[in-house]
Amino acid sequence: MTAEPLALPRAASDWPAFISDGADSALATGRDVVARLKDGATRTPIEVLELWNDAERVISTASGFTSLFAEVHPDPGVRELSEEKSQAIIAFLTERGQDRELYRVLASVDTAELDAEAARLLEHVLRDFRRSGVDRDDATRARLAEISERSTIVGQRFSRNIRDDVRSLRLRPEQLDGLPEDYRNEHPADADGLVTITTDYPDTIPFLTFATDRDARHAVSRQFNSRAWPANDALLHELLDLRAEQARLLGYDAWPDFDTEDKMIGTGAAVADFIERISQLAGESGRAEVETLLRRAQQGDPSITEITTGDSAYYTELVRREQFDVDAQNVRRYFDFERVRAGLLEVTGRLFGISYRERPDVPRWADDVACYDVHRGDERVGRIYLDLHPREGKYKHAAQFDLATGVRGTQLPEGTLVCNFPRGLMEHTQVVTLFHEFGHLVHHVLGGDQRWARFSGVATEWDFVEAPSQMLEEWAWDADILRSFAVDAAGEPIPADLVARMRTAEDFGRAYRVRTQMYYAAVSYRLHLERPEDHDAAVQALADRYSLVRPLPGTHFQAAFGHLEGYGSGYYTYMWSLVIAKDLFSAFDPENLFDADVAARYRDEILARGGSADAADLVAAFLGRPYSFDAFGDWLDGEIQIKTLK
């Protein structure tokens, strides 16, 4: 059977029916499968799992497209409808997960008749039942269902508030001094002689990096770090309380214990230990870096006594320019968006042995979304959509969303990359982000050729999913690779010596950024563990302990920390995955990142296997040994040596 991609609507008026009918059909299939599994008919173990798989495929796909279009569709009505259907899907999954009769059917399956992968699937399914509360009494199961429904609604509102709260400031034109010429041209003064700067990424990030006016930077930073405040404060309290109650009803001491049970790290206590371990490793070097920033700031203003969130990007850029001869504005001229996108496809196609065929004929939800079919040889193995520019009502960060769950011979994997990049020149940090997020997309597609929907795509433990994407960032730093697409307006490729200086300059700030990541991880973990009455005070205390850059007074970072909804207490996963990413990259020759044998082995042992094995086993199969902290430690040690530069 030849699998075909989803047929998206061509007419704007057809989108509500696509969302509603697609979700309702998936739910009907799911309910039918539940009824059939409980009908008492005699089935072999593999027939039971195949029937279960039929429901998983359509339910996971419906969950994917409702989640995606709730975040990206231009029509607010379609976004709202997608949220409602997403709620209905989650309610069904909760009900199914608490169905004792269904559980008994699956628990009675004889694993002796299953191969290893099917037995692993059954093990995961039964664990999911237990984590849904199938073994609890009627009253507890009812309360768990209420918690699930309410948590979904609260989480959606939390995310919606971040997405919709686009703030702006009106500044005098001279307050844009230091910004690139193309940025200033894109922000002309209005009839009152003032310039509007919003909290969308393409406005805020360059402003914080280049604007010489410290007061203006601080004003922009305050707005950016106060989005969704105060609306999200009460929602966050409720979400944390709901999660704590859920964990307690399921027999766990706290949410982080429940949250980590199915992760590589294993326990909540291990998260706390990991945060402390990494913070200590980066502490000495990080403090030296921030002291360097402070000394540079005081050259222009001796009254500055600390580096804040409104200062760090600007003074880091100054130090890199002065000490390492890297001017980010000069670097930008080599990274035209269209060329970068084409280069990304060329690089990843060569690396993974695939090709991308653009499909301008395929319906999309917005005109600037690009669609490509992904091929290995003559075989279409998936479809991707690139939604890379900001627009009103769209998701504000960068992420990969599933559109369809791949199942071998039945359904093609489809995914969407959602970002907020400028349409003209990009900063190199944005190029790195694009490579990172595309790593998730290619993982979803290449890992989508699975028999079992549960193991399709990026279906590994949650604290491993960032590792392949973090490793792909390395290809955005190789001089030869960059020179293949990074050219200026005159057609001159980026000089290799500039790329070398960029890499050295990037090393500056590495340790304090690691500490910042540990601050975020601590916020994610501690808020869930302790549920403080005053979030602002608790977050400030965590900043005092972990962050080497000071939050500006009066800001409310946690209100716009969207990962609190999606990642729960597990933001540590970014750094945990980086440990593994550095280890994975150690298998590649830095002088030949396109080595065919290593690249093919990585594709086949890590990406193409999806979630069909535990992440630790995937890594061991690729490396020929268990993963270790050694490569990560060497990376941090290299940063400590760099800090002797003044």
Side-chain angles (χ1 to χ4, degrees), residues 491-503:
E492 289 297 318
I494 189 169
D497 67 313
L498 173 57
V499 177
R501 297 197 307 275
M502 288 164 55
R503 193 60 191 256

Side-chain angles (χ1 to χ4, degrees), residues 15-265:
W15 274 97
F18 172 81
I19 299 294
S20 185
D21 294 349
D24 290 348
S25 175
L27 288 169
T29 298
R31 294 188 180 99
D32 178 65
V33 166
V34 169
R36 291 173 63 189
L37 285 171
K38 297 192 298 183
D39 64 9
T42 300
R43 295 183 176 88
T44 65
I46 202 66
E47 287 173 339
V48 170
L49 292 185
E50 286 177 341
L51 193 55
W52 177 270
N53 197 49
D54 290 341
E56 283 295 281
R57 174 180 59 83
V58 295
I59 289 292
S60 62
T61 294
S63 177
F65 69 67
T66 55
S67 297
L68 169 66
F69 294 124
E71 296 285 5
V72 304
H73 201 279
D75 185 338
V78 173
R79 295 200 299 269
E80 183 176 351
L81 176 63
S82 298
E83 287 184 349
E84 293 172 359
K85 293 303 179 181
S86 181
Q87 293 169 15
I89 291 168
I90 292 172
F92 165 75
L93 293 174
T94 300
E95 177 186 348
R96 187 184 69 171
Q98 295 183 351
D99 189 324
R100 289 181 170 180
E101 184 181 353
L102 179 62
Y103 173 74
R104 284 192 289 269
V105 169
L106 288 154
S108 65
V109 168
D110 184 1
T111 58
E113 299 184 34
L114 301 174
D115 63 24
E117 190 173 321
R120 183 171 179 270
L121 170 65
L122 181 60
E123 176 187 346
H124 279 61
V125 169
L126 295 177
R127 183 183 66 186
D128 290 344
F129 270 101
R130 179 179 56 77
R131 286 169 60 83
S132 294
V134 72
D135 57 347
R136 303 287 140 168
D137 59 44
D138 292 346
T140 301
R141 294 203 315 281
R143 177 56 186 157
L144 286 168
E146 292 173 353
I147 290 172
S148 176
E149 179 180 4
R150 183 61 186 167
S151 294
T152 300
I153 294 171
V154 172
Q156 287 178 339
R157 289 178 181 172
F158 186 88
S159 297
R160 188 191 313 143
N161 287 340
I162 299 172
R163 183 181 70 230
D164 293 347
D165 188 5
V166 179
R167 303 189 178 194
S168 62
L169 295 93
R170 299 175 73 218
L171 303 173
R172 301 184 308 278
E174 63 267 24
Q175 291 180 290
L176 273 68
D177 287 353
L179 272 299
E181 181 179 1
D182 60 305
Y183 183 99
R184 297 196 305 273
N185 290 339
E186 292 167 1
H187 295 79
D190 58 22
D192 295 328
L194 299 176
V195 176
T196 298
I197 303 297
T198 74
T199 53
D200 278 342
Y201 277 46
D203 274 11
T204 295
I205 301 306
F207 197 93
L208 296 180
T209 304
F210 300 118
T212 58
D213 188 319
R214 190 177 190 233
D215 289 339
R217 289 200 315 273
H218 282 206
V220 170
S221 182
R222 282 194 179 91
Q223 288 284 62
F224 183 78
N225 286 296
S226 294
R227 291 167 298 149
W229 174 268
N232 272 358
D233 189 54
L235 291 173
L236 182 55
H237 275 291
E238 184 177 2
L239 188 61
L240 296 174
D241 288 346
L242 288 167
R243 287 172 172 172
E245 184 182 1
Q246 178 184 345
R248 179 180 58 78
L249 291 174
L250 290 170
Y252 300 85
D253 291 336
W255 175 264
D257 297 309
F258 171 79
D259 204 15
T260 54
E261 181 188 32
D262 57 354
K263 309 294 192 299
M264 293 182 75
I265 203 166

